[in-house]
Amino acid sequence: MSDVTKELLDETQGYVEQAKAKAAKAKKPWQTWLDAEWGFRNHWYPASLSRDLGEGDSKGIELLGEEILVTRQEGKIRALEDRCPHRGIRFSSRPLFYTKETLTCWYHTWTFDIEDGNLRTILSSPDSKMIGKCSLKVYPVEERKGVIFIFVGDIEPPPLHYDVAPGFLDDNAVVYCAEPYDINSNWRLGCENGYDPGHQFIHNWSEMCINAGMHTSYGYTSTKEDVLDTTRYVELEDGPKGFTRKVEKTTFRHEASIPLKDGSKKDLMLPLARGKSKEELDQLTAIIRLGTVGLWMPASLKVTTFPAPHCTHYEFYVPKNKDEHTYFQFGVIHTDDEEEAERWLGEDGRIMWEVPAVQGFTVDDAFAREQMHKYYAEEDGWQRERLFQPDVELTMWRQFASRHARGIQTEDHSRGYFKRD
Ligand code: FES
Ligand code: FE2
């Protein structure tokens, strides 16, 4: 290698080292958020829809990296570690329930009690000394509103409603459940996308907006004072924790321009805003202003008056592992009228919520999260991002979540290093 090449290489290497050192510097005030790549431990999460697990059914799921077998036996949902202590077989790959009380491993017949997880017998060796001496982890489960919630952690679980945004579990809440799907992005990007005031621009691509002729904007902007003024924190000891922003004081920009080198500028206007009078534009944005958007521990979003005035949209970004999250979405109305409730669970919920919101709107959010994942997962994005003023609301959430997390999930938990009794 010539001296000149060596010098150039050294110089390049020096630059890389410097840039990395700069990126890895300082701890952030939201360090817990940065550490929670695998999710927050000791919280409740939606794991499946009730309708996807009939009597006698079972399936393997992944929650915060932990592999879990979920089954319904005699009407009751059980969630068990999907890993045989003998030699690690996943029960879910060939589930074997000889009785309603037991799960048998299909490899060497170890048979477990599905209520407490203990090894009850071994079909081939009923006198084995191992019997009664080892167990599977049993996960606390609650089934409410057509959703199966599982608690992932080691502590005595707090009541479910501490981890579900207000309104969802109300007696008169009628919950329309969309089919959940997996997204190739870390769960934290889900939280940050849903709440991001600057992300509204992506919904100019959304079918719901196009079909309704509803312009969105180049992104919300608010002054710091207005953000503080319109954000309400909920940090009760005995209830859900989260915060909510009213959209009322936000500025929506429909026009923009790009300065050109010759001193002139290229003017732009959002396609769906073109040809509309100021009054018409104001009228449409007034509808958006009625809404509120809130983030709730451990990983969900609640949007009121969306997409219809009487509907509340809930979504959960459930960590599946560090590179995927499961996207649960629910359209909720509150009513004591049985007929209205029945209609909502049928065609009303489908036409007024699922088709516009799930099929025609949030798909663009899902796409954006996937596009952002590589930077954060592989390119030090959490350290290298260059935040600007509207992002203050994201850092507010990061700090809030860091304050209220009951624990951090780690890769070791996903490999089965956790408490079993
Ligand atoms: Fe399950 Fe052997 S691996 S009994
Ligand atoms: Fe969105």
Side-chain angles (χ1 to χ4, degrees), residues 32 39-46 63-64 139-140 149-160 162-164 187 239 241 296-299 318-319 397 401-409:
T32 302
F40 287 142
R41 192 164 178 80
N42 298 322
H43 286 272
W44 289 97
Y45 294 92
L63 208 50
L64 286 74
Y139 294 80
F149 292 90
I150 292 183
F151 183 80
V152 181
D154 317 290
I155 62 170
E156 187 60 34
L160 171 66
Y162 284 26
D163 285 343
V164 179
W187 69 281
K241 295 183 172 60
W296 296 86
M297 292 297 289
V318 180
W397 164 252
S402 296
R403 220 167 39 244
H404 292 295
R406 297 192 198 106
I408 298 287
Q409 182 77 353

mmCIF file of all heavy atoms in Angstrom, residues 32 39-46 63-64 139-140 149-160 162-164 187 239 241 296-299 318-319 397 401-409:
data_model
loop_
_atom_site.group_PDB
_atom_site.id
_atom_site.type_symbol
_atom_site.label_atom_id
_atom_site.label_comp_id
_atom_site.label_asym_id
_atom_site.label_seq_id
_atom_site.Cartn_x
_atom_site.Cartn_y
_atom_site.Cartn_z
ATOM 1 N N THR A 32 -34.403 5.381 29.271
ATOM 2 C CA THR A 32 -35.186 4.151 29.432
ATOM 3 C C THR A 32 -35.889 3.790 28.120
ATOM 4 O O THR A 32 -35.989 2.620 27.746
ATOM 5 C CB THR A 32 -36.209 4.326 30.570
ATOM 6 O OG1 THR A 32 -35.473 4.661 31.748
ATOM 7 C CG2 THR A 32 -36.994 3.065 30.843
ATOM 8 N N GLY A 39 -39.264 -3.814 24.339
ATOM 9 C CA GLY A 39 -40.550 -3.479 24.961
ATOM 10 C C GLY A 39 -40.396 -3.171 26.444
ATOM 11 O O GLY A 39 -39.319 -3.294 27.017
ATOM 12 N N PHE A 40 -41.499 -2.746 27.059
ATOM 13 C CA PHE A 40 -41.538 -2.504 28.499
ATOM 14 C C PHE A 40 -42.056 -3.764 29.188
ATOM 15 O O PHE A 40 -43.141 -4.264 28.872
ATOM 16 C CB PHE A 40 -42.464 -1.335 28.833
ATOM 17 C CG PHE A 40 -41.903 0.007 28.465
ATOM 18 C CD1 PHE A 40 -42.727 1.000 27.942
ATOM 19 C CD2 PHE A 40 -40.553 0.304 28.644
ATOM 20 C CE1 PHE A 40 -42.216 2.250 27.620
ATOM 21 C CE2 PHE A 40 -40.034 1.550 28.321
ATOM 22 C CZ PHE A 40 -40.869 2.520 27.807
ATOM 23 N N ARG A 41 -41.283 -4.282 30.141
ATOM 24 C CA ARG A 41 -41.684 -5.493 30.879
ATOM 25 C C ARG A 41 -42.654 -5.130 32.008
ATOM 26 O O ARG A 41 -42.717 -3.976 32.430
ATOM 27 C CB ARG A 41 -40.424 -6.162 31.446
ATOM 28 C CG ARG A 41 -40.667 -7.569 31.994
ATOM 29 C CD ARG A 41 -39.364 -8.329 32.169
ATOM 30 N NE ARG A 41 -39.595 -9.658 32.733
ATOM 31 C CZ ARG A 41 -40.004 -10.717 32.028
ATOM 32 N NH1 ARG A 41 -40.213 -10.581 30.735
ATOM 33 N NH2 ARG A 41 -40.202 -11.882 32.602
ATOM 34 N N ASN A 42 -43.379 -6.130 32.474
ATOM 35 C CA ASN A 42 -44.339 -5.945 33.569
ATOM 36 C C ASN A 42 -45.550 -5.088 33.176
ATOM 37 O O ASN A 42 -46.024 -4.250 33.949
ATOM 38 C CB ASN A 42 -43.653 -5.347 34.812
ATOM 39 C CG ASN A 42 -42.573 -6.263 35.354
ATOM 40 O OD1 ASN A 42 -42.730 -7.482 35.347
ATOM 41 N ND2 ASN A 42 -41.470 -5.691 35.802
ATOM 42 N N HIS A 43 -45.995 -5.283 31.937
ATOM 43 C CA HIS A 43 -47.218 -4.611 31.472
ATOM 44 C C HIS A 43 -48.132 -5.625 30.768
ATOM 45 O O HIS A 43 -47.685 -6.691 30.344
ATOM 46 C CB HIS A 43 -46.869 -3.502 30.470
ATOM 47 C CG HIS A 43 -46.274 -2.284 31.100
ATOM 48 N ND1 HIS A 43 -47.038 -1.244 31.576
ATOM 49 C CD2 HIS A 43 -44.991 -1.944 31.335
ATOM 50 C CE1 HIS A 43 -46.234 -0.304 32.077
ATOM 51 N NE2 HIS A 43 -44.990 -0.700 31.946
ATOM 52 N N TRP A 44 -49.394 -5.212 30.642
ATOM 53 C CA TRP A 44 -50.386 -5.981 29.880
ATOM 54 C C TRP A 44 -50.334 -5.576 28.414
ATOM 55 O O TRP A 44 -50.175 -4.389 28.109
ATOM 56 C CB TRP A 44 -51.793 -5.673 30.383
ATOM 57 C CG TRP A 44 -52.144 -6.221 31.725
ATOM 58 C CD1 TRP A 44 -52.088 -5.548 32.925
ATOM 59 C CD2 TRP A 44 -52.646 -7.534 32.028
ATOM 60 N NE1 TRP A 44 -52.513 -6.362 33.946
ATOM 61 C CE2 TRP A 44 -52.864 -7.586 33.419
ATOM 62 C CE3 TRP A 44 -52.928 -8.658 31.263
ATOM 63 C CZ2 TRP A 44 -53.364 -8.723 34.056
ATOM 64 C CZ3 TRP A 44 -53.418 -9.795 31.890
ATOM 65 C CH2 TRP A 44 -53.630 -9.816 33.266
ATOM 66 N N TYR A 45 -50.529 -6.561 27.522
ATOM 67 C CA TYR A 45 -50.582 -6.282 26.078
ATOM 68 C C TYR A 45 -51.693 -7.101 25.420
ATOM 69 O O TYR A 45 -51.893 -8.269 25.796
ATOM 70 C CB TYR A 45 -49.259 -6.687 25.400
ATOM 71 C CG TYR A 45 -48.079 -5.853 25.830
ATOM 72 C CD1 TYR A 45 -47.277 -6.240 26.903
ATOM 73 C CD2 TYR A 45 -47.764 -4.673 25.162
ATOM 74 C CE1 TYR A 45 -46.194 -5.466 27.306
ATOM 75 C CE2 TYR A 45 -46.675 -3.897 25.544
ATOM 76 C CZ TYR A 45 -45.895 -4.299 26.622
ATOM 77 O OH TYR A 45 -44.833 -3.531 27.008
ATOM 78 N N PRO A 46 -52.353 -6.551 24.393
ATOM 79 C CA PRO A 46 -53.244 -7.391 23.589
ATOM 80 C C PRO A 46 -52.399 -8.458 22.901
ATOM 81 O O PRO A 46 -51.310 -8.156 22.399
ATOM 82 C CB PRO A 46 -53.820 -6.437 22.536
ATOM 83 C CG PRO A 46 -53.494 -5.066 22.997
ATOM 84 C CD PRO A 46 -52.295 -5.168 23.892
ATOM 85 N N LEU A 63 -44.478 -12.444 21.922
ATOM 86 C CA LEU A 63 -44.811 -11.207 22.627
ATOM 87 C C LEU A 63 -43.548 -10.727 23.330
ATOM 88 O O LEU A 63 -42.998 -11.441 24.178
ATOM 89 C CB LEU A 63 -45.908 -11.549 23.644
ATOM 90 C CG LEU A 63 -46.910 -10.507 24.084
ATOM 91 C CD1 LEU A 63 -47.554 -9.804 22.923
ATOM 92 C CD2 LEU A 63 -47.988 -11.151 24.959
ATOM 93 N N LEU A 64 -43.067 -9.571 22.956
ATOM 94 C CA LEU A 64 -41.810 -9.028 23.495
ATOM 95 C C LEU A 64 -40.668 -10.049 23.385
ATOM 96 O O LEU A 64 -39.840 -10.192 24.282
ATOM 97 C CB LEU A 64 -41.975 -8.601 24.960
ATOM 98 C CG LEU A 64 -42.761 -7.322 25.230
ATOM 99 C CD1 LEU A 64 -44.257 -7.515 25.030
ATOM 100 C CD2 LEU A 64 -42.499 -6.776 26.636
ATOM 101 N N TYR A 139 -48.601 -17.415 32.037
ATOM 102 C CA TYR A 139 -48.798 -15.962 31.916
ATOM 103 C C TYR A 139 -50.202 -15.575 32.361
ATOM 104 O O TYR A 139 -51.183 -16.221 31.935
ATOM 105 C CB TYR A 139 -48.610 -15.524 30.459
ATOM 106 C CG TYR A 139 -47.202 -15.687 29.946
ATOM 107 C CD1 TYR A 139 -46.736 -16.930 29.526
ATOM 108 C CD2 TYR A 139 -46.336 -14.597 29.876
ATOM 109 C CE1 TYR A 139 -45.447 -17.085 29.048
ATOM 110 C CE2 TYR A 139 -45.046 -14.742 29.395
ATOM 111 C CZ TYR A 139 -44.604 -15.977 28.989
ATOM 112 O OH TYR A 139 -43.324 -16.125 28.515
ATOM 113 N N PRO A 140 -50.321 -14.519 33.164
ATOM 114 C CA PRO A 140 -51.661 -14.011 33.504
ATOM 115 C C PRO A 140 -52.403 -13.563 32.241
ATOM 116 O O PRO A 140 -51.799 -12.971 31.345
ATOM 117 C CB PRO A 140 -51.371 -12.810 34.411
ATOM 118 C CG PRO A 140 -49.984 -13.065 34.952
ATOM 119 C CD PRO A 140 -49.253 -13.770 33.853
ATOM 120 N N PHE A 149 -55.805 -10.327 26.506
ATOM 121 C CA PHE A 149 -54.650 -9.572 26.999
ATOM 122 C C PHE A 149 -53.750 -10.512 27.803
ATOM 123 O O PHE A 149 -54.240 -11.333 28.581
ATOM 124 C CB PHE A 149 -55.091 -8.435 27.923
ATOM 125 C CG PHE A 149 -55.857 -7.329 27.233
ATOM 126 C CD1 PHE A 149 -57.241 -7.385 27.116
ATOM 127 C CD2 PHE A 149 -55.193 -6.221 26.711
ATOM 128 C CE1 PHE A 149 -57.949 -6.364 26.492
ATOM 129 C CE2 PHE A 149 -55.898 -5.190 26.086
ATOM 130 C CZ PHE A 149 -57.280 -5.267 25.975
ATOM 131 N N ILE A 150 -52.453 -10.364 27.634
ATOM 132 C CA ILE A 150 -51.489 -11.172 28.396
ATOM 133 C C ILE A 150 -50.529 -10.228 29.129
ATOM 134 O O ILE A 150 -50.112 -9.199 28.577
ATOM 135 C CB ILE A 150 -50.706 -12.118 27.454
ATOM 136 C CG1 ILE A 150 -51.667 -13.183 26.889
ATOM 137 C CG2 ILE A 150 -49.539 -12.788 28.168
ATOM 138 C CD1 ILE A 150 -51.015 -14.222 25.989
ATOM 139 N N PHE A 151 -50.198 -10.599 30.361
ATOM 140 C CA PHE A 151 -49.243 -9.820 31.149
ATOM 141 C C PHE A 151 -47.859 -10.444 30.992
ATOM 142 O O PHE A 151 -47.676 -11.632 31.281
ATOM 143 C CB PHE A 151 -49.662 -9.817 32.618
ATOM 144 C CG PHE A 151 -48.776 -8.991 33.495
ATOM 145 C CD1 PHE A 151 -48.906 -7.612 33.553
ATOM 146 C CD2 PHE A 151 -47.775 -9.594 34.257
ATOM 147 C CE1 PHE A 151 -48.080 -6.838 34.366
ATOM 148 C CE2 PHE A 151 -46.946 -8.836 35.070
ATOM 149 C CZ PHE A 151 -47.096 -7.458 35.124
ATOM 150 N N VAL A 152 -46.917 -9.644 30.543
ATOM 151 C CA VAL A 152 -45.551 -10.150 30.375
ATOM 152 C C VAL A 152 -44.673 -9.537 31.461
ATOM 153 O O VAL A 152 -44.429 -8.321 31.464
ATOM 154 C CB VAL A 152 -44.980 -9.773 28.989
ATOM 155 C CG1 VAL A 152 -43.567 -10.324 28.827
ATOM 156 C CG2 VAL A 152 -45.877 -10.313 27.883
ATOM 157 N N GLY A 153 -44.257 -10.376 32.415
ATOM 158 C CA GLY A 153 -43.421 -9.826 33.479
ATOM 159 C C GLY A 153 -43.276 -10.800 34.621
ATOM 160 O O GLY A 153 -43.674 -11.964 34.528
ATOM 161 N N ASP A 154 -42.709 -10.304 35.708
ATOM 162 C CA ASP A 154 -42.408 -11.169 36.851
ATOM 163 C C ASP A 154 -43.113 -10.722 38.121
ATOM 164 O O ASP A 154 -43.067 -11.411 39.135
ATOM 165 C CB ASP A 154 -40.894 -11.149 37.134
ATOM 166 C CG ASP A 154 -40.097 -11.223 35.859
ATOM 167 O OD1 ASP A 154 -40.109 -12.290 35.237
ATOM 168 O OD2 ASP A 154 -39.482 -10.210 35.459
ATOM 169 N N ILE A 155 -43.737 -9.561 38.081
ATOM 170 C CA ILE A 155 -44.351 -9.042 39.305
ATOM 171 C C ILE A 155 -45.820 -9.462 39.361
ATOM 172 O O ILE A 155 -46.370 -9.956 38.377
ATOM 173 C CB ILE A 155 -44.251 -7.493 39.370
ATOM 174 C CG1 ILE A 155 -45.006 -6.863 38.187
ATOM 175 C CG2 ILE A 155 -42.803 -7.044 39.401
ATOM 176 C CD1 ILE A 155 -45.164 -5.356 38.285
ATOM 177 N N GLU A 156 -46.441 -9.248 40.503
ATOM 178 C CA GLU A 156 -47.885 -9.457 40.620
ATOM 179 C C GLU A 156 -48.551 -8.455 39.674
ATOM 180 O O GLU A 156 -48.320 -7.246 39.782
ATOM 181 C CB GLU A 156 -48.276 -9.172 42.075
ATOM 182 C CG GLU A 156 -49.696 -9.484 42.455
ATOM 183 C CD GLU A 156 -50.051 -10.957 42.255
ATOM 184 O OE1 GLU A 156 -49.173 -11.833 42.453
ATOM 185 O OE2 GLU A 156 -51.203 -11.193 41.880
ATOM 186 N N PRO A 157 -49.353 -8.922 38.715
ATOM 187 C CA PRO A 157 -49.874 -7.961 37.733
ATOM 188 C C PRO A 157 -50.839 -6.951 38.332
ATOM 189 O O PRO A 157 -51.702 -7.336 39.131
ATOM 190 C CB PRO A 157 -50.581 -8.840 36.699
ATOM 191 C CG PRO A 157 -50.701 -10.176 37.295
ATOM 192 C CD PRO A 157 -49.735 -10.303 38.436
ATOM 193 N N PRO A 158 -50.699 -5.704 37.979
ATOM 194 C CA PRO A 158 -51.699 -4.710 38.401
ATOM 195 C C PRO A 158 -52.984 -4.949 37.606
ATOM 196 O O PRO A 158 -52.974 -5.712 36.641
ATOM 197 C CB PRO A 158 -51.048 -3.378 37.996
ATOM 198 C CG PRO A 158 -50.081 -3.724 36.929
ATOM 199 C CD PRO A 158 -49.655 -5.140 37.132
ATOM 200 N N PRO A 159 -54.092 -4.291 37.979
ATOM 201 C CA PRO A 159 -55.334 -4.497 37.218
ATOM 202 C C PRO A 159 -55.129 -4.123 35.740
ATOM 203 O O PRO A 159 -54.367 -3.194 35.431
ATOM 204 C CB PRO A 159 -56.309 -3.530 37.892
ATOM 205 C CG PRO A 159 -55.730 -3.234 39.231
ATOM 206 C CD PRO A 159 -54.251 -3.369 39.102
ATOM 207 N N LEU A 160 -55.821 -4.856 34.876
ATOM 208 C CA LEU A 160 -55.678 -4.640 33.439
ATOM 209 C C LEU A 160 -55.901 -3.180 33.033
ATOM 210 O O LEU A 160 -55.193 -2.650 32.172
ATOM 211 C CB LEU A 160 -56.692 -5.545 32.703
ATOM 212 C CG LEU A 160 -56.830 -5.312 31.210
ATOM 213 C CD1 LEU A 160 -55.552 -5.681 30.479
ATOM 214 C CD2 LEU A 160 -58.015 -6.105 30.642
ATOM 215 N N TYR A 162 -55.097 -0.495 34.190
ATOM 216 C CA TYR A 162 -53.958 0.424 34.324
ATOM 217 C C TYR A 162 -53.202 0.556 32.993
ATOM 218 O O TYR A 162 -52.498 1.521 32.754
ATOM 219 C CB TYR A 162 -52.954 -0.104 35.363
ATOM 220 C CG TYR A 162 -53.339 0.064 36.809
ATOM 221 C CD1 TYR A 162 -54.663 0.154 37.196
ATOM 222 C CD2 TYR A 162 -52.356 0.122 37.798
ATOM 223 C CE1 TYR A 162 -55.010 0.276 38.536
ATOM 224 C CE2 TYR A 162 -52.694 0.257 39.140
ATOM 225 C CZ TYR A 162 -54.028 0.321 39.494
ATOM 226 O OH TYR A 162 -54.361 0.438 40.820
ATOM 227 N N ASP A 163 -53.316 -0.486 32.157
ATOM 228 C CA ASP A 163 -52.543 -0.526 30.916
ATOM 229 C C ASP A 163 -53.392 -0.407 29.656
ATOM 230 O O ASP A 163 -52.948 -0.762 28.571
ATOM 231 C CB ASP A 163 -51.726 -1.835 30.855
ATOM 232 C CG ASP A 163 -50.509 -1.795 31.780
ATOM 233 O OD1 ASP A 163 -50.123 -0.692 32.205
ATOM 234 O OD2 ASP A 163 -49.963 -2.868 32.086
ATOM 235 N N VAL A 164 -54.602 0.087 29.819
ATOM 236 C CA VAL A 164 -55.471 0.266 28.653
ATOM 237 C C VAL A 164 -56.007 1.698 28.687
ATOM 238 O O VAL A 164 -56.444 2.178 29.740
ATOM 239 C CB VAL A 164 -56.644 -0.747 28.671
ATOM 240 C CG1 VAL A 164 -57.560 -0.535 27.469
ATOM 241 C CG2 VAL A 164 -56.106 -2.181 28.680
ATOM 242 N N TRP A 187 -41.443 -1.442 17.746
ATOM 243 C CA TRP A 187 -42.709 -0.943 18.303
ATOM 244 C C TRP A 187 -42.664 0.543 18.669
ATOM 245 O O TRP A 187 -43.663 1.244 18.600
ATOM 246 C CB TRP A 187 -43.072 -1.773 19.542
ATOM 247 C CG TRP A 187 -42.139 -1.538 20.709
ATOM 248 C CD1 TRP A 187 -40.899 -2.059 20.886
ATOM 249 C CD2 TRP A 187 -42.381 -0.684 21.834
ATOM 250 N NE1 TRP A 187 -40.347 -1.592 22.051
ATOM 251 C CE2 TRP A 187 -41.243 -0.745 22.654
ATOM 252 C CE3 TRP A 187 -43.457 0.119 22.223
ATOM 253 C CZ2 TRP A 187 -41.139 -0.026 23.841
ATOM 254 C CZ3 TRP A 187 -43.357 0.832 23.412
ATOM 255 C CH2 TRP A 187 -42.212 0.757 24.200
ATOM 256 N N GLY A 239 -54.661 4.009 37.879
ATOM 257 C CA GLY A 239 -55.343 4.011 36.585
ATOM 258 C C GLY A 239 -54.334 4.093 35.462
ATOM 259 O O GLY A 239 -53.125 4.013 35.691
ATOM 260 N N LYS A 241 -51.941 5.506 32.487
ATOM 261 C CA LYS A 241 -51.070 6.673 32.438
ATOM 262 C C LYS A 241 -50.829 7.049 30.980
ATOM 263 O O LYS A 241 -50.491 6.203 30.154
ATOM 264 C CB LYS A 241 -49.741 6.365 33.121
ATOM 265 C CG LYS A 241 -49.925 6.103 34.605
ATOM 266 C CD LYS A 241 -48.613 5.862 35.307
ATOM 267 C CE LYS A 241 -48.788 5.797 36.815
ATOM 268 N NZ LYS A 241 -49.699 4.723 37.243
ATOM 269 N N TRP A 296 -50.670 6.283 25.425
ATOM 270 C CA TRP A 296 -50.933 5.646 26.716
ATOM 271 C C TRP A 296 -49.960 4.516 26.954
ATOM 272 O O TRP A 296 -49.601 3.779 26.029
ATOM 273 C CB TRP A 296 -52.391 5.132 26.757
ATOM 274 C CG TRP A 296 -53.328 6.291 26.669
ATOM 275 C CD1 TRP A 296 -53.786 6.894 25.525
ATOM 276 C CD2 TRP A 296 -53.824 7.064 27.769
ATOM 277 N NE1 TRP A 296 -54.559 7.989 25.851
ATOM 278 C CE2 TRP A 296 -54.597 8.119 27.217
ATOM 279 C CE3 TRP A 296 -53.696 6.965 29.159
ATOM 280 C CZ2 TRP A 296 -55.239 9.054 28.021
ATOM 281 C CZ3 TRP A 296 -54.340 7.905 29.957
ATOM 282 C CH2 TRP A 296 -55.098 8.941 29.388
ATOM 283 N N MET A 297 -49.572 4.366 28.211
ATOM 284 C CA MET A 297 -48.679 3.268 28.585
ATOM 285 C C MET A 297 -49.399 1.936 28.457
ATOM 286 O O MET A 297 -50.578 1.861 28.807
ATOM 287 C CB MET A 297 -48.197 3.451 30.024
ATOM 288 C CG MET A 297 -47.275 4.624 30.222
ATOM 289 S SD MET A 297 -45.749 4.440 29.303
ATOM 290 C CE MET A 297 -44.937 3.146 30.223
ATOM 291 N N PRO A 298 -48.730 0.876 28.011
ATOM 292 C CA PRO A 298 -47.330 0.914 27.636
ATOM 293 C C PRO A 298 -47.086 1.231 26.154
ATOM 294 O O PRO A 298 -45.981 1.636 25.824
ATOM 295 C CB PRO A 298 -46.886 -0.537 27.917
ATOM 296 C CG PRO A 298 -48.110 -1.356 27.653
ATOM 297 C CD PRO A 298 -49.267 -0.498 28.069
ATOM 298 N N ALA A 299 -48.079 1.091 25.275
ATOM 299 C CA ALA A 299 -47.772 1.230 23.850
ATOM 300 C C ALA A 299 -49.020 1.436 23.010
ATOM 301 O O ALA A 299 -49.279 0.684 22.086
ATOM 302 C CB ALA A 299 -47.045 -0.026 23.356
ATOM 303 N N VAL A 318 -47.869 -3.549 19.639
ATOM 304 C CA VAL A 318 -47.402 -4.575 20.577
ATOM 305 C C VAL A 318 -46.069 -5.142 20.108
ATOM 306 O O VAL A 318 -45.992 -5.711 19.011
ATOM 307 C CB VAL A 318 -48.444 -5.707 20.688
ATOM 308 C CG1 VAL A 318 -47.957 -6.775 21.652
ATOM 309 C CG2 VAL A 318 -49.782 -5.140 21.134
ATOM 310 N N PRO A 319 -45.005 -5.005 20.936
ATOM 311 C CA PRO A 319 -43.716 -5.541 20.497
ATOM 312 C C PRO A 319 -43.826 -7.043 20.267
ATOM 313 O O PRO A 319 -44.271 -7.771 21.160
ATOM 314 C CB PRO A 319 -42.767 -5.251 21.673
ATOM 315 C CG PRO A 319 -43.478 -4.287 22.561
ATOM 316 C CD PRO A 319 -44.946 -4.438 22.294
ATOM 317 N N TRP A 397 -43.113 12.468 25.136
ATOM 318 C CA TRP A 397 -43.578 11.076 25.334
ATOM 319 C C TRP A 397 -42.421 10.184 25.775
ATOM 320 O O TRP A 397 -42.560 9.362 26.682
ATOM 321 C CB TRP A 397 -44.213 10.524 24.057
ATOM 322 C CG TRP A 397 -44.341 9.018 24.106
ATOM 323 C CD1 TRP A 397 -43.614 8.118 23.394
ATOM 324 C CD2 TRP A 397 -45.225 8.238 24.936
ATOM 325 N NE1 TRP A 397 -43.981 6.828 23.710
ATOM 326 C CE2 TRP A 397 -44.973 6.866 24.665
ATOM 327 C CE3 TRP A 397 -46.199 8.554 25.885
ATOM 328 C CZ2 TRP A 397 -45.651 5.830 25.301
ATOM 329 C CZ3 TRP A 397 -46.876 7.509 26.524
ATOM 330 C CH2 TRP A 397 -46.609 6.178 26.232
ATOM 331 N N ALA A 401 -42.797 8.092 29.117
ATOM 332 C CA ALA A 401 -42.754 6.630 29.101
ATOM 333 C C ALA A 401 -41.577 6.132 29.940
ATOM 334 O O ALA A 401 -41.691 5.129 30.655
ATOM 335 C CB ALA A 401 -42.650 6.124 27.663
ATOM 336 N N SER A 402 -40.468 6.839 29.885
ATOM 337 C CA SER A 402 -39.298 6.442 30.674
ATOM 338 C C SER A 402 -39.620 6.508 32.169
ATOM 339 O O SER A 402 -39.148 5.706 32.967
ATOM 340 C CB SER A 402 -38.107 7.349 30.376
ATOM 341 O OG SER A 402 -37.709 7.192 29.037
ATOM 342 N N ARG A 403 -40.468 7.477 32.515
ATOM 343 C CA ARG A 403 -40.828 7.669 33.923
ATOM 344 C C ARG A 403 -41.783 6.573 34.416
ATOM 345 O O ARG A 403 -41.752 6.189 35.568
ATOM 346 C CB ARG A 403 -41.532 9.025 34.030
ATOM 347 C CG ARG A 403 -41.174 9.801 35.219
ATOM 348 C CD ARG A 403 -41.556 11.248 35.286
ATOM 349 N NE ARG A 403 -42.801 11.711 34.782
ATOM 350 C CZ ARG A 403 -42.933 12.554 33.759
ATOM 351 N NH1 ARG A 403 -41.864 12.989 33.123
ATOM 352 N NH2 ARG A 403 -44.118 12.965 33.374
ATOM 353 N N HIS A 404 -42.641 6.096 33.529
ATOM 354 C CA HIS A 404 -43.715 5.204 33.985
ATOM 355 C C HIS A 404 -43.542 3.735 33.624
ATOM 356 O O HIS A 404 -44.393 2.919 33.990
ATOM 357 C CB HIS A 404 -45.060 5.709 33.462
ATOM 358 C CG HIS A 404 -45.460 7.016 34.087
ATOM 359 N ND1 HIS A 404 -45.739 7.117 35.429
ATOM 360 C CD2 HIS A 404 -45.576 8.256 33.586
ATOM 361 C CE1 HIS A 404 -46.031 8.384 35.716
ATOM 362 N NE2 HIS A 404 -45.935 9.089 34.614
ATOM 363 N N ALA A 405 -42.494 3.404 32.917
ATOM 364 C CA ALA A 405 -42.284 1.995 32.558
ATOM 365 C C ALA A 405 -42.065 1.184 33.828
ATOM 366 O O ALA A 405 -41.326 1.608 34.717
ATOM 367 C CB ALA A 405 -41.073 1.881 31.644
ATOM 368 N N ARG A 406 -42.693 -0.006 33.907
ATOM 369 C CA ARG A 406 -42.487 -0.859 35.088
ATOM 370 C C ARG A 406 -41.263 -1.749 34.938
ATOM 371 O O ARG A 406 -40.897 -2.464 35.863
ATOM 372 C CB ARG A 406 -43.717 -1.741 35.324
ATOM 373 C CG ARG A 406 -44.951 -0.944 35.629
ATOM 374 C CD ARG A 406 -46.077 -1.836 36.155
ATOM 375 N NE ARG A 406 -47.323 -1.108 36.027
ATOM 376 C CZ ARG A 406 -48.249 -1.358 35.122
ATOM 377 N NH1 ARG A 406 -48.103 -2.367 34.294
ATOM 378 N NH2 ARG A 406 -49.325 -0.619 35.058
ATOM 379 N N GLY A 407 -40.667 -1.738 33.779
ATOM 380 C CA GLY A 407 -39.469 -2.556 33.582
ATOM 381 C C GLY A 407 -39.064 -2.558 32.121
ATOM 382 O O GLY A 407 -39.791 -2.068 31.258
ATOM 383 N N ILE A 408 -37.909 -3.111 31.874
ATOM 384 C CA ILE A 408 -37.378 -3.182 30.507
ATOM 385 C C ILE A 408 -37.279 -4.652 30.109
ATOM 386 O O ILE A 408 -36.760 -5.474 30.869
ATOM 387 C CB ILE A 408 -35.949 -2.580 30.468
ATOM 388 C CG1 ILE A 408 -35.957 -1.110 30.867
ATOM 389 C CG2 ILE A 408 -35.309 -2.769 29.098
ATOM 390 C CD1 ILE A 408 -36.525 -0.207 29.824
ATOM 391 N N GLN A 409 -37.762 -4.968 28.949
ATOM 392 C CA GLN A 409 -37.604 -6.322 28.417
ATOM 393 C C GLN A 409 -36.203 -6.440 27.809
ATOM 394 O O GLN A 409 -35.678 -5.472 27.255
ATOM 395 C CB GLN A 409 -38.673 -6.559 27.338
ATOM 396 C CG GLN A 409 -38.655 -7.938 26.729
ATOM 397 C CD GLN A 409 -39.282 -8.979 27.645
ATOM 398 O OE1 GLN A 409 -39.614 -8.700 28.791
ATOM 399 N NE2 GLN A 409 -39.445 -10.184 27.134
#
